[in-house]
Amino acid sequence: MMQFKNAVFTANGSIDMEINHPVYGWIPFTATPLDLEPLSVELFNLAKTSAAPCGPVVPPVVYPPLPRSVFWLAALAVGVTKAGILSRIESLPDGADKERKRITIEETLQYRREDPYLSELALEAGITSEQLDALWLWAANGG
């Protein structure tokens, strides 16, 4: 029988644990009750009475797209202006990267939080990813 420790139920009903592998030592393992691998089913059945309950499931944060005006008003609230960003872009060497950034700023009708150019521009403006997340949600909820 394989040893296990730190068994915890997951949100989908399987059990995460560590098993004492004969070659690799203690390694992470997920046991499920309907697995085709007999060891997984055996470990699930052994651990199900002692496994810790699943912690609270935290839904992922959804960052809705922001209309252009909402985006720039939120930026203004933290001292970032469209003119300042465009000025910074204009100082970049000519090329595709400069043009992509300019188009992103000038032509986008709705900004999306996951846009990598937007994240890069925010960092260049001194805004961390965490600050941008908070600012985005603040703007999306009416500022």
Side-chain angles (χ1 to χ4, degrees):
M1 172 172 55
M2 186 161 296
Q3 293 177 306
F4 69 91
K5 64 181 182 180
N6 301 325
V8 179
F9 275 98
T10 67
N12 68 1
S14 59
I15 300 176
D16 284 343
M17 63 180 69
E18 294 175 66
I19 61 171
N20 194 3
H21 190 277
V23 175
Y24 302 110
W26 289 101
I27 60 170
F29 186 83
T30 300
T32 58
L34 301 175
D35 201 317
L36 295 177
E37 172 57 48
L39 177 62
S40 180
V41 176
E42 177 186 345
L43 284 168
F44 181 89
N45 288 329
L46 288 170
K48 69 183 178 185
T49 57
S50 62
C54 176
V57 176
V58 180
V61 177
V62 176
Y63 297 95
L66 294 180
R68 187 186 327 202
S69 62
V70 172
F71 174 83
W72 286 112
L73 288 171
L76 184 61
V78 294
V80 175
T81 65
K82 185 176 182 179
I85 295 291
L86 288 171
S87 174
R88 221 173 289 150
I89 291 170
E90 286 307 312
S91 69
L92 296 173
D94 288 339
D97 185 54
K98 176 180 179 177
E99 190 60 16
R100 267 192 226 91
K101 288 179 180 177
R102 188 193 63 72
I103 290 169
T104 296
I105 295 305
E106 291 187 327
E107 306 298 331
T108 298
L109 297 177
Q110 286 192 327
Y111 291 94
R112 299 193 179 283
R113 174 62 186 93
E114 62 275 4
D115 183 333
Y117 292 110
L118 191 61
S119 296
E120 187 178 326
L121 288 168
L123 287 174
E124 290 171 5
I127 299 171
T128 67
S129 183
E130 293 79 16
Q131 290 170 324
L132 185 57
D133 289 346
L135 181 62
W136 201 277
L137 293 175
W138 174 79
N141 289 307

